[in-house]
Amino acid sequence: MTATAVLTARALLLDMDGTLVNSDASVERVWRRWAERHGLDGDEVMKVVHGRQGYASMALLLPGRPMEQNHADNARMLQEETADTEGVVAISGAPEFLASLAGLPHALVTSADVPLSTARMAAAGLALPEVRVTAESVGASKPDPEGFLKGAAELGVDPADCVVFEDSGAGIAAGRAAGMRVVGIGPRASFHDPDVVVEDLTRVRVERAEDGTIRLHIG
């Protein structure tokens, strides 16, 4: 669905990779090396990894492997990803979009940990939102809704009054499971039926309503 819509919310919950930051080049390099080490098809691996924490992707790709091995492997992968910021740039419109949220309730909800999210946002020249829900903050990866529900709770806003911005199938499913509306960003999102979808953040305009709500003009 091509978005030509106005959504009203009390808070916005923002994914990072693919939504605010284009980190696809780094993700591809790191995960394709991982796939090669484990004798897996790189193209098939890339269909799984977007939006999830690494250990959750590994559990799907290597069923039966002890979860402690996945967590240990994920820790190494996070270090690799944090060190590899070549080609990491802002999604079109992201700087202006984030600037328009100044003083409005919003949070970053990402499957990255603190070092990785800090490195990628800095590489893209984007300021980190004050409220952040990272991998360290949750016990379950997207598509579990825990991260988005925690973001809403930290902002003091009912989940039904939140709008999620996401690019991946796992993230869109997490937003829906949290009872939130979802704005899909980019080509990956269009395959997973968000409420509305746009090419990038240049297609989103934020308006502060007189009653304190956020009005999103999308399309």
Side-chain angles (χ1 to χ4, degrees):
M1 168 182 177
T2 300
T4 52
V6 177
L7 298 179
T8 300
R10 294 197 174 275
L12 306 183
L13 302 177
L14 316 173
D15 176 50
M16 182 182 71
D17 293 302
T19 301
L20 298 174
V21 171
N22 183 345
S23 57
D24 282 1
S26 173
V27 173
E28 287 263 351
R29 285 190 293 268
V30 171
W31 277 98
R32 285 185 182 277
R33 286 197 300 268
W34 182 88
E36 187 175 357
R37 289 197 297 269
H38 292 279
L40 299 174
D41 181 271
D43 291 340
E44 294 304 312
V45 167
M46 295 314 302
K47 293 177 183 178
V48 171
V49 300
H50 292 291
R52 293 180 172 85
Q53 290 191 44
Y55 73 84
S57 296
M58 293 170 190
L60 292 172
L61 292 162
L62 296 174
R65 186 166 83 150
M67 190 56 76
E68 59 267 23
Q69 289 186 29
N70 293 335
H71 281 286
D73 213 358
N74 183 46
R76 291 188 291 270
M77 292 280 286
L78 284 169
Q79 291 178 347
E80 285 187 53
E81 290 183 289
T82 301
D84 183 356
T85 57
E86 183 180 352
V88 173
V89 296
I91 293 290
S92 295
E96 297 81 2
F97 174 70
L98 285 174
S100 73
L101 298 183
L104 296 174
H106 66 286
L108 186 73
V109 182
T110 175
S111 294
D113 63 2
V114 168
L116 180 56
S117 58
T118 301
R120 283 188 175 161
M121 291 288 280
L126 300 176
L128 282 162
E130 182 177 340
V131 178
R132 301 184 288 276
V133 179
T134 60
E136 298 93 338
S137 309
V138 297
S141 169
K142 299 172 185 176
D144 190 282
E146 181 185 359
F148 287 126
L149 292 172
K150 185 161 188 176
E154 291 197 16
L155 293 170
V157 176
D158 189 276
D161 291 326
C162 295
V163 169
V164 165
F165 283 71
E166 264 286 359
D167 73 299
S168 70
I172 291 167
R176 288 197 178 283
M180 301 172 182
R181 291 156 293 162
V182 181
V183 176
I185 304 297
R188 277 193 295 268
S190 62
F191 294 104
H192 302 286
D193 297 321
D195 292 277
V196 292
V197 62
V198 287
E199 182 179 353
D200 56 42
L201 291 167
T202 65
R203 310 300 298 174
V204 181
R205 182 170 63 85
V206 178
E207 178 188 3
R208 187 195 309 256
E210 290 184 4
D211 63 358
T213 58
I214 302 167
R215 192 166 293 142
L216 299 169
H217 299 265
I218 303 168

